[in-house]
Amino acid sequence: MYLNCHSFHSLRYGTIPLEELVEQAVSFGVKAMALTDVNTVTGIYDFIKSCQQAGIKPLIGMEFRWGFSLCYVGLAKNAAGLAEMNRFLTRHNFDNTPLPFPAPEFKDVFIIYTTENLPDVLKENEYIGIRPEELQKLILTDLKNRIGKMVVLQPVTFRTRTEYNLHRILCAVDRNIILSRLSPDDHCRESEVMIASDTLASYYENYPQIISNTEKIIEQCNFEFDFKTPKNKKYYTSSKKDDMKLLNTLAEQGLVWRYGRNNIKAEARMKKELTVIDQLKFSGYFLITWDIIRYSNSQGFMHIGRGSGANSIIAYCLGITDICPLELDLYFERFLNLNRKSPPDFDIDWSWKERDTILEYIFSRYGSDHVAFCGTNVEFKYRSIFREVGKVFGLPKEELDALAKNPMDLHPTNKVVRQVQQYGMLLEKYPNQRSMHSCGILISEEPITNYTPLEMPPKGFPIVLFDMHTAEDIGLEKFDILSQRGIGHIDDTVKLIEKNKGIRLNIRDTSISKNEKSCNDFLGIGRTIGCFYIESPAMRGLLRRLKCDNYKTLVAASSIIRPGVAQSGMMKEYIFRHNNPSRFEYFHSVFEEQLGETYGIMVYQEDVIKIALHYGGLPAADGDILRRAMSGKGRSKAALQKVKDNFFECCQRQGHPLKLSEEIYRQIESFAGYSFCKAHSASYAVESYQSLYLKVHYPVEFMTAVINNQGGFYRTEVYVHEAKMSGAIIHNPCVNKSEYETTLYGSHIYLGFMHLQGLEAKIAVFIQQEREKNGDYLSLEDFINRVPVGIEGLQILIFIGALRFTGKTKNQLLITARLIMVNFKPENRNLMLLQEPIKKFELPVLERSPFEDAFDEIELLSFPVSCSPFDLLQTKFRGDVMAKDLLMYHKKTVRMLAYLISRKHVPTKMGAMYFGTWIDADGEFFDTVHFTDSLAKYPFQGGGCYLLLGNVEIDYHFPTITVTKMAKMPFIADPRYSNTNDRQYKVHEQIREDVSMTHRKPYPQEHEINLPRNKMKN
């Protein structure tokens, strides 16, 4: 009887979570019900499964609304009916046109109108929904003549009075108005609750035709969905046979390319993988990915194939990945095995500048009807909840800010705030809006609108209305088309090298960078600023602790730096064993044979498979099941117990002692959930080497590219500093030299206009375009004549020194600019300046402090360029010890003066602590530790220079200073405001620091790791 039910997927309208809606239906004896969320089918697939488990017949539909107005409700008779509605709504979503009234012609959809909104004539598939409280209208109005086309309408939107209030709050949030301004038409009726089926039927006992019509619709709506059959595009060619033929050919060609001829081991691995791919019918997935890579290569784009796909030699031979699985002993079963039913998952990265071109190709090549982005549900979060709900209750901005920023126990205790808290907490985890998945692309065999309507977000690529989990559940596996700025660093550097030095470098040939001696030297001392994945303070510290000087150690470092791995204690133990190879025993001979590379520690997910295979005697495919079960990849407790029992049975058959097997299982259990895919680490390591090779051999070009890609662990200032340390000469923006991005001339770097705070982007771009079109700017007057810049933008350019080519001082330029522009009208730009000679002014000579430029730079760039931050200190003291000498001061107290780069918050059982990263007056980096007791007395006070007192600790070749005292050192007053005391220290506040907060439980102490360093005694 329920033909119009809403879940919380009716965004900012429905209040009932999907599963709870079905549970309520069971409690009220409902035998059939329809999910008709507002303009979406987000929840229908979970709804179908829940209803089938509960013995309820699921009906699928949508409530069509335009704006806040209800148009009609649609119910699908079958899959074709859902597709009709999806295509109808998609068209209006894309065109942003109002939904038509009455409803269009539908072949397999029932349409239900309300009594307030009726067409004069109803089509055969159209009905009028009448609510119980409206039945009296059938006595006195013309509606009594239309009873033959009526059905029961008892909408469901909420469950309780509290949820009714929550619904009204959601409606107010949706309309962006306060609660008191809601009109009755803005929200649902108070009757929109579920009641017992018998009670609902009794209201209509005098109208058997209405009940009959309702039952007829329920009977004729038979939407069935096959969750087991894959929905992805089946074939790249026209058939599975042709796909496999093409895949075999490409694999054989790639085998020769990668391994040469007659490599028996590689050929055997290739044939084995092809057999599994054929049996699992995944050839189309491989070929579509290969096709995307082929297009990328044709455009000269660089890509990185990573993730578990790098476990495949076929992927390596097809050029999808650049990781040789034989070199690293990578198990194909970690990626694909006969127990796996879902398609493989390739993660492919492109430069953030080129990803859209790849996406456009995919949509064009495979058809807009068959390609879309995965959606995501953006939930109400703590801050947004209190802002949104507080706004509805009429709270001012200051109170909203306080509620959003502070924990609830610090909120005021008045009645309104208590209501905001009550209803706000009800909204936690409720979906608030739909968005686009960052990288997941769906390519379907049938039109994608068979499964969902599509929306067109501002990005310009359509999205489905469900997330990746629902997509996987219904058989649509995503292609991960990602972007990262690290590839932009590499790609742009290669282009800069060719432009600046005339050298064409094939950085894709990983043999030139991987394990290259100079790169390994830089790795060992942590000189990796700007390099993908290995530039953070934690990673640089790890590289130094390991004295990392080879590819395989870098692969391991890329894995053990992960938070989960560190949390399990593996990172500390790995560092110990790496530096003390004679101070531990391998737990069992299998650990030495299979995990000797990582000193008997299960660092990678593949290691779990190795131990299961070589110690337990399980097939590799079963070893992957064990890994997945341990890491909680959707396995039930019963399935985990089955895997555990199988492991011990196999160990017993191998003749292993039970206690030994139990300890090994405990280690697997401890590590499997934290470990990282080795192929993923290897992909990261290869890209890290590519970045590092460019940094070592072409440092100025590399740092310029890093600055331009605006991405990395640190702020732009740090990369500018690193460029300077690499031999570059840094210049402020110049209208005759600079472009929107930072430019390079030999070893001279000119910062780009994009870095100027306050300068409009369109003016920044115009300056470059106009210069390229009509030549250099000849004077201030010429610049004003040619560039449509206002006085504010012109002053920014003057203050940063962008017009220094004129030979005039900033003061002279400012006076001249104001005299010219005081009566200047933009519409007369060309006429006035070209036809009237500029008056020559006698300008006074004004004294200017050499530090005024530095403060201009801090104000406009957030960091000084013309001098070092140390030059701005009131003191001439530069510290007793420099960073390069710290290795000589183990266990000694040192006093250092340093500029703060970044600090990382770390939770401990004693309270918060921080790791600090600094540079000294020589420009060298070093690191500090600040424990809770020290921070209580000597806290960080923002960006700038500090005097540090602390004790040096050398931890496996890596010096850190445990700070006992710290004081921020004063800079000189801003000489530009020598006559106004209130502004002399204002600009100093713009000197930045990078702060990284950590939200996790404290890591275990060494004694809590419980990883034995000795063999077990029998």
Side-chain angles (χ1 to χ4, degrees), residues 297-337:
N297 291 339
S298 74
Q299 299 300 301
F301 296 167
M302 180 179 175
H303 78 277
I304 303 288
R306 56 180 175 82
S308 61
N311 288 60
S312 166
I313 201 169
I314 301 298
Y316 183 53
C317 290
L318 266 57
I320 297 170
T321 64
D322 280 314
I323 305 301
C324 171
L326 301 182
E327 178 186 9
L328 294 174
D329 194 21
L330 301 179
Y331 283 29
F332 181 60
E333 288 79 5
R334 167 62 186 87
F335 179 51
L336 276 187
N337 58 69

Side-chain angles (χ1 to χ4, degrees), residues 639-703:
L640 179 57
Q641 187 61 46
K642 185 178 178 181
V643 168
K644 182 177 181 179
D645 292 343
N646 184 40
F647 175 78
F648 282 108
E649 287 172 13
C650 290
C651 289
Q652 188 177 16
R653 285 198 294 270
Q654 300 295 313
H656 296 307
L658 178 60
K659 283 190 176 181
L660 181 63
S661 299
E662 286 176 340
E663 172 57 26
I664 289 174
Y665 186 84
R666 185 196 69 79
Q667 290 185 30
I668 292 173
E669 200 170 30
S670 298
F671 301 151
Y674 298 121
S675 54
F676 199 30
C677 171
K678 186 176 184 181
H680 206 90
S681 292
S683 301
Y684 277 174
V686 166
E687 186 178 348
S688 298
Y689 261 118
Q690 289 171 316
S691 294
L692 187 55
Y693 180 86
L694 296 172
K695 177 183 173 68
V696 170
H697 297 284
Y698 306 96
V700 177
E701 288 82 3
F702 179 72
M703 295 316 305

Side-chain angles (χ1 to χ4, degrees), residues 36 67 86 132 148 157 161 358 365 376 579 626 770 890 923 961 966 1004 1017:
T36 54
N86 290 342
T157 305
R161 185 71 195 179
I358 297 296
R365 171 70 175 79
T376 59
N579 285 282
L626 176 66
E770 167 61 24
H890 182 44
I961 301 171
M966 175 171 71
K1017 295 179 181 178

